[in-house]
Amino acid sequence: MAVFIGGNRIESAVKNLSENNIPNFSFPNQAVTALNKYYQWNMYQNKELEIAKEIINEDKKSKVSEIVRLVRSEGRRALLFSEAEKIMEMYDIKTVETGLLTPNEEVASGYSFPAVAKLDSAKILHKTDKQGVILNIGSQDELIKAVNRIRSDFPGENVVVQPMQDIQTELILGIKRDEIFGPIVVFGLGGIYTEIFKLVDFIIPPMNAEEIKKRLLESKIGFLFAGARGKKPYNIDEMARILSGIVSLSQEAEDIKELDINPLLIYNSNKNSVVVDVKIIF
């Protein structure tokens, strides 16, 4: 590892280092930060024997692999919500009650209002950006109009219908898979605050439930579970259970390259946390 400071005068030297796979940093603090991150990663990879690794559940691993195999056979690289929902259920992660409408299916009665209608497509992953989400639907007639509008804009695609949810605090959870470091679990504050405050942290599997609780309290969103400024704390046991499921999934589903849960709605009451949307790419 080298720290070369000199701008244009050292371009040839930096190029020579790069060609020989020697990392170079422009400032000492960047090098120290990189070394610290590598040290942390190495510590996780070489945990002492008394810290038990999560046991791989071969049954779940096989079921996830079968879902991925079927999707790949259709030439897709992403799951529909209905498929991702099944995987969430396997790992004890609750998703919001959802009705699936295939392209030619009539809109039946019985939905709860207010509701939301969403495009459910493996080709269009950022449906909000593409105007594929219609909120605050107040009646059956409005729902039919909303579904027809989405079908008109996105022919041949599925639509899902969900009841609108009370929002207290939104989190994001996810899996990113690095070719060198393997799976990394991401968690942090979601919703409109994701890009503003950037309160995001990481877990490098394996990590058991007790370690996850400690990690949560030390994280940038630890104040949510500590009851900051007299506020009732959120349920850290529930959050640790959900993150444990994501950690297990990251280890058991090696085909999954990326998973994004946004948002996970959490409450500091007796109401259970619930996933509103999830995207899985392989």
Side-chain angles (χ1 to χ4, degrees):
M1 179 179 291
V3 179
F4 266 18
I5 303 173
N8 295 334
R9 293 174 298 171
I10 61 167
E11 280 186 1
S12 60
V14 171
K15 182 180 179 182
N16 187 45
L17 288 170
S18 178
E19 289 173 349
N20 288 278
N21 297 317
I22 300 173
N24 177 69
F25 296 88
S26 300
F27 299 97
N29 62 309
Q30 294 175 340
V32 172
T33 299
L35 282 171
N36 181 50
K37 294 298 182 183
Y38 179 77
Y39 170 76
Q40 291 180 31
W41 173 76
N42 190 61
M43 289 290 290
Y44 278 116
Q45 295 299 309
N46 296 284
K47 287 184 177 183
E48 296 179 358
L49 292 177
E50 63 265 22
I51 301 178
K53 289 188 176 183
E54 294 291 334
I55 298 173
I56 299 297
N57 187 312
E58 294 296 338
D59 182 52
K60 290 181 182 178
K61 183 176 180 178
S62 175
K63 288 178 179 177
V64 173
S65 294
E66 179 61 15
I67 291 173
V68 172
R69 186 191 67 78
L70 290 172
V71 170
R72 277 183 169 155
S73 71
E74 298 175 5
R76 293 191 277 131
R77 57 181 290 269
L79 301 186
L80 299 173
F81 182 86
S82 55
E83 296 161 339
E85 186 179 32
K86 291 178 183 177
I87 293 177
M88 293 295 97
E89 185 179 357
M90 287 183 210
Y91 289 87
D92 198 24
I93 300 170
K94 182 183 177 184
T95 56
V96 67
E97 180 183 350
T98 302
L100 172 66
L101 295 170
T102 54
N104 298 314
E105 187 176 351
E106 291 187 6
V107 182
S109 59
Y111 289 104
S112 299
F113 298 102
V116 54
K118 301 178 183 179
L119 170 69
D120 187 21
S121 170
K123 294 180 286 187
I124 303 169
L125 301 179
H126 301 286
K127 44 188 169 283
T128 302
D129 297 343
K130 300 294 184 180
Q131 307 300 313
V133 178
I134 300 176
L135 303 171
N136 295 310
I137 300 168
S139 67
Q140 182 71 12
D141 288 342
E142 288 182 18
L143 176 59
I144 292 171
K145 290 178 183 178
V147 170
N148 287 338
R149 177 180 145 189
I150 293 174
R151 285 173 169 170
S152 175
D153 291 341
F154 306 96
E157 300 288 359
N158 293 339
V159 178
V160 293
V161 180
Q162 300 171 336
M164 292 286 292
Q165 300 295 303
D166 295 329
I167 297 176
Q168 186 173 2
T169 297
E170 299 175 75
L171 298 184
I172 56 170
L173 305 176
I175 298 170
K176 308 294 181 185
R177 193 171 297 276
D178 185 90
E179 291 183 2
I180 297 174
F181 296 105
I184 299 171
V185 174
V186 184
F187 67 96
L189 200 61
I192 62 173
Y193 302 110
T194 304
E195 295 300 324
I196 298 173
F197 296 120
K198 300 185 186 301
L199 298 182
V200 176
D201 280 283
F202 306 92
I203 289 172
I204 301 176
M207 187 174 285
N208 61 37
E210 288 306 313
E211 291 176 289
I212 289 174
K213 286 183 189 179
K214 181 180 178 182
R215 183 77 181 94
L216 278 169
L217 289 172
E218 294 173 346
S219 72
K220 295 172 185 174
I221 61 169
F223 64 91
L224 293 172
F225 307 99
R229 297 193 175 184
K231 297 288 186 180
K232 184 178 179 181
Y234 289 79
N235 189 335
I236 193 169
D237 291 321
E238 181 186 43
M239 192 64 207
R241 175 183 57 76
I242 292 169
L243 276 172
S244 291
I246 299 295
V247 167
S248 295
L249 176 59
S250 74
Q251 295 179 276
E252 293 167 0
E254 296 177 356
D255 289 321
I256 293 177
K257 297 293 185 280
E258 182 178 334
L259 178 146
D260 286 304
I261 293 173
N262 190 12
L264 169 74
L265 302 181
I266 65 171
Y267 305 90
N268 60 354
S269 61
N270 294 327
K271 192 170 183 178
N272 293 326
S273 299
V274 64
V275 171
V276 173
D277 205 0
V278 56
K279 176 178 66 178
I280 298 178
I281 300 172
F282 49 85

